[in-house]
Structures are given as C-alpha cells and as structure tokens.
Amino acid sequence: METGGGSGRMAGGRDARVRRAEELRRLIEKHDRLYYVENRPEISDREYDELYAELKRIEEEDPSLITPDSPTQRVGAKLSGKEAIRAEPHRSPMLSLDNTYSEGELREFDGRIRRFLGLAAGAEIEYAVEMKIDGAAVSLWYERGLFVKGLTRGDGEKGENITHNLRAIRDIPLRLIPAKGAQAPEFLEARGEVYMPRAEFERLVRRQEEEGEEPFANPRNAAAGTIKQLDPRVAASRRLRMLVHTPGECSGVRWRTHLEFLEGMAALGLRVNPHRRLCRGIARVIETIAEWEDLRRSLDYDTDGCVIKVNDLEMQRALGFTAKAPRFAIAYKYKAEEARTRLLAIDVQVGKTGVLTPVARLEPVFLAGTTIENASLHNEDEIRRKDIRIGDVVYISKAGEIIPQVVRVAKEERTGAEREFRMPDRCPACSGKVERRGGEAAWRCVNQRCPGRYRARILYFASRRCMDIQGLGPALVDRLISEGLVKDPADLYALRTEAIESLEFEGEDGVKRRLGSKNAEKLIDAIEESKSRGLARVLAALNIPHVGERKAELLAERFGSMDAIRKASAGDLMKVETIGEVVAQSVLDFFGDPGEAALVDRLAEAGVVMKSSARPAAAGDGPFAGRTFVLTGTLSGYTREQAEALIRERGGRCAGSVSSKTDYVLAGRDPGSKLDKAKKLGVKIIGEEEFERMLGEQK
Ligand code: IVH
C-alpha cells in the first residue's frame, strides 16, 4: 500500500508544497487506476479520501498550484449558453460496422477477406473477438500524455466536443501513466464506448419516474443523453464508465496487432474490455460467439453482440474501408431476449411525490432468469406511443437486463376485445384532483395529504437504505393504513404489539395470514431499532426533493443535527459540496411546510435520533450498520460462520443471495454464480484482503 509521506499541514516552503501536490496527484491517479480500471484497490476509501482532501487543502491554500490535470479538476463549471457544445472535425472518419446475424454471414465475411488478401485455401486468418458494448461511441485525444479533447461520434465526420463531461468519468485518466516499460505516445487518439452500468441505469430511471421526468428507454440512451449535457456535474453524478476498443490517429507508436493495441492501452491506464479473445480461423470465432452468448446477463453493460476484427493491423490497412464501414471488422448480433405474454390490466400507482405511474399487470412469464408479473409503462404518452391496450398480447424485454418493459404489441393477434386505457381523472388513492404540469410527461395527484403518497412515503421511509425496518412490506403497510393505525411515517413509532398482532393481510403468494404475536413483536423491535440509524439516514428517509442518500450524508456531516439543518440559511446550505440553489431551496421549502415540520417534530419526540454523532450503541449500529454482505467461495483465514459473525458484530447483515440491495460481495477462492450476479448488478466486490482492511480500520 502506498499513501505517501507526511500528511496534515505542510511544513516548508513553496517548493515542498509543489512537490507534495505533485506526489498526491500521482498517488490519486495511481489509486484511481487500481480502483476504476484494474478493479483491484490497494487502499480503503477512507485512505483515498484523505489523500484527496490533503491535495484539495494544498490547492485551496495556494491556487497557483492547481494544474488542469489535477484529480480535483475533473468536474468543472457548467458551460454557459455561449459556450454551447460545438461540433469539431474528427482526425479520421469514425465509421460504423456492418452487421451479421448468422454463422453463414460470418463465413461469407471470412471468405471476402481471404479473397481480398489473395490467401491460399488452407491459410487461416487471426481474428480478435470482443464483446460489443451498447453505449455511446467517443474519441479521446491525448497530447504528450495529457487528455486534451473528447468528441462524440456525431455524423462520423464531425463530433461534438464533450471534453467537460468526459473529464468527469473516472475511468478516463486525465493524464496517461505508462506502466513500467510502456511509453505515452506523442499523440494518441483512443476510441471507445461510454456506457451507463445497469445498476446505475435502474437507479436513474426510478428517480426520473419519481420526479415526473421522461425516463431513458435504455442504458445506451441514458449514456448518450448524459454526455451531451452542458453541466458536467450531471455526468459526474451518473457514474458513467468507459472502455477503449479502437485506435484512432496516433503518432509515435506502432502496434502489430489489434490485441497488442488493447494491451498497450491498458498499459497506459485506459480501460479495455477483458472479454477479448484471439481466434485462429472463423470456426473458432463462431465457437467463441456461441460460448459468450450466456455471458451477456452477467455483464455490467448492455451488449447486443460481438465485434470481430482482423487482428493483424497491416492486414487491416490492406483491407481498408468501404464508404460506410471497415472491411476488416464486422458485428455479430445476438437475438434480443424477449418473452411473449398477455397484459391483463393496467393499474395506476401513486408515488411519494404524487406522480401517477401506470403499471402493466402481466400473465406471469419467465425471462432471462426471473418471473415477470409487472412492468412499468412510465406514463400516458408511452402507452399511446406503443398503442398498448388491456388484453393485448405483448412482448417483454428487460432494459439494462433488469427493468421489465413492454417492447411492442402483437397487433395482428388482436380480437377486438382489447380495451384502450385512459388515465383516471381522479387520483386512485384519494379521489382527489390530478393535473399534468406543462412540459411534464406525468400526471400528479395534487393532494399533499393523499394516502397514496403517504403509502409510498412510508414504504420509502422503511426501505433498507433509509430506516431499514425489516418486515414492513407493501401488503402490511396497506393493512396498517386501511385500519387507520398509520397515516405517515411518524405513526409507525406509536404502534404496539397488541394493536397489530391480529391484523390479516395478503402475502406475496396471495395467501391471507394473521401477523401473529411473534411477527408483531419482531416488527415492533425492528421499528424500535430503526430509531438509531442516525441523522443521514433520517434525512434521506424524509424524502426531501433532490436530497438523496449522498446529499443527506453531506448535510449530516456538515451540520451534525436536524436542528442545525432547520436553522440553516440557503447560504449555509450551499457551503456544502454539491449543494446548489435548487437543493438548498428544496430543503428550505421542506422545513417551511408546517406539515413536514410537524412530522419531523413527531419523529424526534418518538425518540428517533436526529444527531450524527451521539448515536447510541443499539442493535443495528456499528461501523457496518446498514450494510449487507453476501459471501461466496472459500476464504483462507476464516470459516464462513466466522466471517459472518465478524460482519454481524459490526452491525452488518449477511444475506444468502445477491440483489441490488447487496452492498458488498465478499469473494473467496472458487466463487460461484453470486460473483457473476454481483458484476451484473454493479455490486462492489471485495476480496479477503480488503475485507480485513475494513475490519481493521472499523473496529
Ligand atoms: S470497433 C470502424 N469494437 O458499435 C468502427 N466497436 O455498431 C470500429 N462498439 O460504432 C468499431 N463495442 O461504437 C468496435 N468492441 C467494439 C465495440 C464497438 C461497441 C460500437 C461502436 C461502433 C458500433 C457499431
């Protein structure tokens, strides 16, 4: 592990500060690369944060020490209207690829190449096969190792200058750091794909739906839409990733083969796809493509196929290009994963902010590993656009391999009995007025006190990342509301075992059950336990618009108590990193609303801890509180039971299977399919060493 020399305040003069700043930049770059590009971090997040904070402090004390490639300068200011994103020429055209869909077409591609090169009948061509990333193509320019420009593909001749957004992507080094034996070329243009990891896409779509925005249809659109924003903070907050796959114009370097080029990129600190393979002859290519088909689901990006390239770069040059695509490369497209089912009904759900979301109830159908019964239809326009009717036979796919969606309707199978859907003109939960604000895709219930909203708010409040109240699911919340026991989150803390043990509610399996005294006690314990989650979680649980987990943490850190946040002015709030006018106003509005203020008071009176420091050591507290671990494979230093005990002692939880709710997958030797699932969902994977470090530092 390397974190460099002394920390804390700098002694010595300017020279020493210049040297330490440079040393810190190198260290941060190195650890960025280990974490983001090579996926094998050597230091903990906390140690990393300390390095970053030290550099930031030195630069703040003497801004003349700031360099454009400093890690602190990744996210710059929003472009103003006048500086709108400009189109600029590519050094050489950025072309697309021809597609193939069958083995026969691949053999034809191989035949064309062999004829073009005049190869003898027995001679095999070496191909490089790579997974094809379904993202947004970009070009990165490095001059003497410094990242100077980034363009979208655009029309292939000219692309849009999106340097400000690409700088905010942590996979893209601001300066190349050649590994031992490698050298940064004079000029390097590396082309590749920016993509949004599936887990990130899922998070974004949920948020967009919640806020009444038009959600992105798939991760590709989400990535393409994000890199064209004027404000780089948007790209930074959406955690985009990048993989390099093609050389552009370069000087001062030569590679012999495509795979050598990829290795070369990795040696300079750029990220390349591990799913690449050298195949001798087209038969081996075909085998590889078949072998990789199932891999698709375990990746953190969407793929629609593979790319096959002649590996030898000299041969590539000889083959050249047609007007539209290279002759030396081709894409092979996999069949889309779709299932056919019937749409039985469309229900309308009320969200925390009153947004009404139509949800398709489907005849259960199995697709890519799970049974699907519901699919969000997002909003009314989406239903019109796809002409979806109740009773239709529909095709379902999973956007980003996670979110079920209706792709299209089998109109030819209509019998005439299908019914058109109309958005209700009253809220389905409170029968109150609904409205559609100008420019928004969503209808909203305008009733601030709508029980539908409260239902969604209670579920959110109790969710794992907020107050984490185990056992409080939708069916039970519905019963609690219909019995008049609970209206809002604060009412949860007044519940007593005797009042709820006789409640009957329908489980997920459709069977009615009594809660019973044991479960009732467990639930009351869980509610009690949730009081000590700490300020950041309470803040997030309150559902203040624009204040998610991260901002809640920053506010909690800065102010230390709910009272201090309530007293803060807009100016005070805006001193917190990433909090601007909109968020500050939203916080002020929230506490200015008498209903919300009363809710917070009642939570405090019930004993919910509203301070960030003085957290009582209750069950569920501890350094791993709220974190869920899943173990896979064999550890060398612990049995599974020992490792689980260590996690629990620190307030963490151990689960048997990986889901989007998992925080860490602890992987030992011979890990199982849980590791693939973790990769697919973008869950953080740690090894035994990292685990020990976490134990050590958080004792
Ligand atoms: S090679 C001359 N390799 O797919 C074009 N492209 O459908 C060379 N893509 O425009 C492109 N993964 O944006 C190449 N491993 C990969 C790729 C890849 C994704 C994209 C690329 C291209 C599009 C064509």
Side-chain angles (χ1 to χ4, degrees):
M1 189 210 318
E2 189 191 352
T3 55
S7 58
R9 294 193 68 83
M10 290 299 305
R14 187 182 151 87
D15 280 358
R17 283 200 303 275
V18 171
R19 271 200 307 279
R20 180 60 182 158
E22 178 57 16
E23 183 186 14
L24 286 165
R25 281 194 287 269
R26 293 256 170 222
L27 281 168
I28 293 168
E29 280 165 1
K30 173 183 155 179
H31 292 297
D32 272 347
R33 174 180 180 157
L34 287 166
Y35 185 93
Y36 292 103
V37 179
E38 297 180 21
N39 208 7
R40 48 180 191 101
E42 280 182 4
I43 60 173
S44 68
D45 291 358
R46 189 184 303 174
E47 283 164 315
Y48 179 90
D49 290 346
E50 278 167 11
L51 293 177
Y52 193 91
E54 190 189 344
L55 177 59
K56 189 116 191 151
R57 197 167 54 236
I58 296 178
E59 290 178 342
E60 267 166 16
E61 278 169 8
D62 183 354
S64 74
L65 298 180
I66 299 174
T67 58
D69 63 340
S70 173
T72 60
Q73 305 301 304
R74 273 196 179 272
V75 185
K78 180 178 171 177
L79 300 190
S80 71
K82 272 190 263 125
E83 300 167 300
I85 294 177
R86 271 191 298 269
E88 293 184 27
H90 288 295
R91 292 189 139 212
S92 61
M94 257 180 107
L95 300 178
S96 188
L97 290 172
D98 285 332
N99 293 323
T100 55
Y101 300 90
S102 68
E103 197 181 310
E105 285 176 288
L106 281 174
R107 292 192 186 281
E108 282 169 24
F109 164 71
D110 183 54
R112 279 198 300 279
I113 290 178
R114 304 160 65 93
R115 276 196 302 283
F116 199 98
L117 296 173
L119 289 192
E124 299 264 47
I125 296 196
E126 280 192 355
Y127 291 104
V129 180
E130 294 157 78
M131 230 10 156
K132 185 170 183 301
I133 308 129
D134 203 6
V138 301
S139 154
L140 311 177
W141 295 24
Y142 286 90
E143 274 171 16
R144 286 184 291 281
L146 282 189
F147 178 54
V148 291
K149 193 192 282 194
L151 302 175
T152 63
R153 188 165 88 100
D155 64 4
E157 296 291 331
K158 276 187 180 162
E160 286 161 308
N161 187 326
I162 50 157
T163 315
H164 62 299
N165 285 328
L166 295 178
R167 285 176 65 93
I169 300 177
R170 307 289 281 261
D171 290 342
I172 300 179
L174 297 180
R175 122 174 108 170
L176 300 173
I177 335 159
K180 274 200 194 76
Q183 209 189 340
E186 223 359 69
F187 179 83
L188 169 71
E189 184 194 354
R191 294 173 174 181
E193 218 75 4
V194 167
Y195 68 92
M196 182 173 289
R198 287 168 173 164
E200 185 65 15
F201 170 70
E202 192 186 8
R203 215 173 60 106
L204 176 61
V205 168
R206 300 241 179 286
R207 211 215 66 218
Q208 287 180 316
E209 250 179 17
E210 195 57 58
E211 290 179 7
E213 290 171 23
E214 186 74 44
F216 288 113
N218 52 50
R220 174 172 19 92
N221 291 5
T226 303
I227 56 174
K228 289 190 189 159
Q229 301 272 332
L230 290 176
D231 189 346
R233 278 173 299 190
V234 178
S237 74
R238 288 187 188 166
R239 286 176 260 193
L240 296 172
R241 306 219 64 184
M242 158 97 199
L243 284 168
V244 167
H245 57 55
T246 309
E249 301 255 311
C250 301
S251 57
V253 256
R254 273 192 107 67
W255 303 279
R256 204 181 53 77
T257 66
H258 178 67
L259 289 170
E260 257 177 31
F261 157 76
L262 293 177
E263 302 294 340
M265 292 301 98
L268 293 175
L270 287 155
R271 222 176 133 234
V272 295
N273 199 334
H275 295 296
R276 56 179 191 269
R277 181 185 282 176
L278 176 67
C279 295
R280 277 196 189 86
I282 199 72
R284 181 79 182 121
V285 170
I286 292 164
E287 266 172 38
T288 298
I289 289 173
E291 195 185 308
W292 283 2
E293 176 145 17
D294 284 340
L295 210 69
R296 288 202 271 176
R297 291 185 208 158
S298 67
L299 304 168
D300 80 334
Y301 52 85
D302 269 12
T303 174
D304 54 353
C306 294
V307 179
I308 300 103
K309 295 172 190 160
V310 170
N311 192 35
D312 187 296
L313 295 181
E314 207 45 65
M315 277 189 194
Q316 285 196 2
R317 274 187 281 278
L319 284 156
F321 299 84
T322 66
K324 187 180 140 269
R327 281 196 198 87
F328 55 81
I330 205 151
Y332 175 89
K333 298 271 193 141
Y334 289 124
K335 268 213 293 299
E337 285 192 283
E338 281 184 3
R340 209 181 104 97
T341 188
R342 192 173 294 279
L343 190 153
L344 304 172
I346 298 179
D347 289 347
V348 175
Q349 274 181 357
V350 187
K352 316 192 278 289
T353 56
V355 168
L356 304 184
T357 306
V359 179
R361 304 292 176 209
L362 306 164
E363 213 160 78
V365 61
F366 193 74
L367 172 65
T370 57
T371 301
I372 297 177
E373 292 177 74
N374 309 306
S376 169
L377 299 172
H378 304 311
N379 54 54
E380 190 181 23
D381 294 350
E382 175 87 359
I383 298 176
R384 297 270 163 278
R385 195 158 48 236
K386 292 185 177 160
D387 186 17
I388 296 169
R389 300 184 193 171
I390 299 159
D392 268 337
V393 170
V394 291
Y395 288 89
I396 309 291
S397 76
K398 285 185 181 168
E401 292 273 333
I402 302 175
I403 305 177
Q405 61 180 8
V406 174
V407 193
R408 67 199 145 87
V409 172
K411 289 193 191 141
E412 62 288 356
E413 294 187 45
R414 281 193 177 148
T415 61
E418 297 77 16
R419 281 179 300 122
E420 276 193 36
F421 168 79
R422 280 199 43 203
M423 239 8 217
D425 47 16
R426 298 254 137 207
C427 168
C430 72
S431 309
K433 218 177 111 199
V434 295
E435 67 171 26
R436 191 173 165 167
R437 293 185 201 149
E440 278 194 357
W443 285 89
R444 287 171 191 268
C445 164
V446 296
N447 175 11
Q448 296 285 338
R449 311 271 168 257
C450 169
R453 272 192 197 201
Y454 277 110
R455 172 186 187 272
R457 280 190 67 171
I458 293 168
L459 285 169
Y460 180 72
F461 183 87
S463 67
R464 206 189 54 104
R465 291 188 164 279
C466 295
M467 302 302 268
D468 193 15
I469 304 176
Q470 293 258 307
L472 193 62
L476 185 53
V477 168
D478 285 343
R479 276 313 275 150
L480 291 170
I481 293 175
S482 66
E483 285 296 311
L485 291 167
V486 168
K487 273 208 315 289
D488 63 32
D491 293 331
L492 293 171
Y493 295 97
L495 289 175
R496 296 289 165 262
T497 315
E498 310 76 58
I500 59 173
E501 61 190 5
S502 56
L503 284 183
E504 277 192 352
F505 65 99
E506 218 170 84
E508 270 177 33
D509 49 7
V511 179
K512 268 203 168 166
R513 294 197 177 77
R514 233 180 121 247
L515 186 60
S517 60
K518 246 206 178 135
N519 285 331
E521 260 169 45
K522 262 204 207 153
L523 180 66
I524 299 296
D525 284 350
I527 293 174
E528 190 59 31
E529 194 188 305
S530 75
K531 290 179 180 173
S532 56
R533 298 279 179 254
L535 180 61
R537 301 259 227 123
V538 183
L539 261 181
L542 288 176
N543 189 38
I544 304 171
H546 305 293
V547 179
E549 271 172 65
R550 184 75 196 121
K551 292 209 168 67
E553 272 170 22
L554 292 169
L555 284 167
E557 222 167 82
R558 173 94 183 193
F559 292 95
S561 75
M562 190 70 84
D563 275 343
I565 297 173
R566 283 171 90 158
K567 284 190 199 123
S569 67
D572 297 336
L573 293 166
M574 281 160 63
K575 286 193 191 118
V576 178
E577 189 194 339
T578 78
I579 291 195
E581 243 166 89
V582 175
V583 184
Q585 193 54 48
S586 176
V587 174
L588 293 181
D589 289 348
F590 181 87
F591 289 109
D593 177 318
E596 303 292 12
L599 174 75
V600 177
D601 288 339
R602 284 166 52 226
L603 288 170
E605 280 157 25
V608 173
V609 175
M610 303 270 183
K611 284 200 164 64
S612 57
S613 47
R615 286 205 280 157
D621 206 343
F624 289 176
R627 304 273 169 232
T628 298
F629 290 71
V630 172
L631 277 60
T632 178
T634 316
L635 299 173
S636 54
Y638 314 84
T639 64
R640 180 168 292 231
E641 290 69 30
Q642 285 169 334
E644 288 185 351
L646 288 166
I647 292 167
R648 289 208 191 90
E649 271 169 34
R650 286 159 178 76
R653 180 171 295 135
C654 300
S657 61
V658 180
S659 72
S660 57
K661 297 181 176 170
T662 312
D663 294 294
Y664 298 104
V665 167
L666 170 55
R669 248 180 310 115
D670 303 319
S673 61
K674 290 176 195 168
L675 190 65
D676 297 335
K677 182 90 185 280
K679 285 187 192 151
K680 167 179 152 189
L681 295 175
V683 172
K684 184 160 174 142
I685 297 163
I686 55 171
E688 196 163 340
E689 250 180 58
E690 166 83 335
F691 177 57
E692 284 182 327
R693 216 170 2 253
M694 290 165 70
L695 294 175
E697 90 192 22
Q698 305 201 313
K699 237 173 253 159

